[in-house]
């Protein structure tokens, strides 16, 4: 579990049992009753979308497929399909608009379904 917010405790012992100045400063920064050490220009920003995502992850416990951390083994057919794709050099991230072959297939499928006279451009 990765914490989403700074620690709220005020005493972090060092190796010798004392509190380091850095830990004290971090603890003070996380306390609502202390001085805000952020610059004026960044104080206007709220939590980032990543902090919001982290809170939702903590609440709903989703499967994180985006970073490759599923908590179960992949089915054999998925592993075989992935190995076959890699062997055929289909091993790159898609461009932002999507994989060209998939975009073309979608254009070929949806142009007639939508009764378009002009084919859907697979590059847009």
């Amino acid at each position: 579990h990765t914490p989403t917010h700074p620690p709220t405790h005020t005493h972090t012992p060092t190796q010798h049992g004392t509190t380091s100045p850095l830990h004290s400063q971090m603890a003070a920064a996380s306390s609502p009753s202390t001085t805000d050490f952020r610059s004026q220009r960044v104080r206007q920003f709220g939590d980032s979308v990543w902090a919001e995502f982290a809170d939702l992850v903590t609440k709903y416990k989703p499967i994180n497929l985006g970073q490759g951390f599923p908590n179960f083994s992949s089915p054999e057919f998925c592993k075989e399909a992935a190995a076959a794709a890699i062997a055929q050099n289909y091993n790159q991230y898609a461009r932002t608009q999507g994989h060209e072959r998939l975009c073309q297939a979608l254009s070929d499928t949806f142009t007639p379904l939508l009764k378009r006279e002009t084919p859907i451009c697979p590059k847009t």
Side-chain angles (χ1 to χ4, degrees):
H1 172 67
T2 303
T4 58
H5 302 288
T8 56
H9 56 280
T10 57
H11 179 77
T12 304
T14 62
Q15 183 178 8
H16 302 289
T18 61
T19 303
S20 75
L22 177 61
H23 288 288
S24 296
Q25 205 173 26
M26 286 172 52
S30 67
S31 172
S33 63
T34 61
T35 304
D36 188 347
F37 292 102
R38 297 175 296 161
S39 70
Q40 281 291 349
R41 67 184 176 146
V42 299
R43 286 184 192 180
Q44 65 183 332
F45 302 117
D47 282 346
S48 74
V49 67
W50 302 112
E52 185 177 346
F53 286 162
D55 290 343
L56 290 170
V57 164
T58 301
K59 182 176 180 180
Y60 294 106
K61 310 278 190 256
I63 298 170
N64 183 352
L65 299 176
Q67 294 178 340
F69 298 116
N71 62 355
F72 55 87
S73 295
S74 299
E76 280 305 311
F77 78 91
C78 290
K79 294 178 200 177
E80 291 166 5
I86 291 169
Q88 295 174 34
N89 291 320
Y90 294 113
N91 56 9
Q92 300 297 311
Y93 285 109
R95 62 196 178 113
T96 304
Q97 299 88 346
H99 194 282
E100 289 183 48
R101 287 180 56 206
L102 175 60
C103 293
Q104 186 62 56
L106 291 170
S107 173
D108 294 345
T109 300
F110 284 99
T111 294
L113 283 175
L114 297 174
K115 300 179 182 359
R116 303 245 332 208
E117 292 181 26
T118 307
I120 297 170
C121 178
K123 294 186 185 248
T124 60

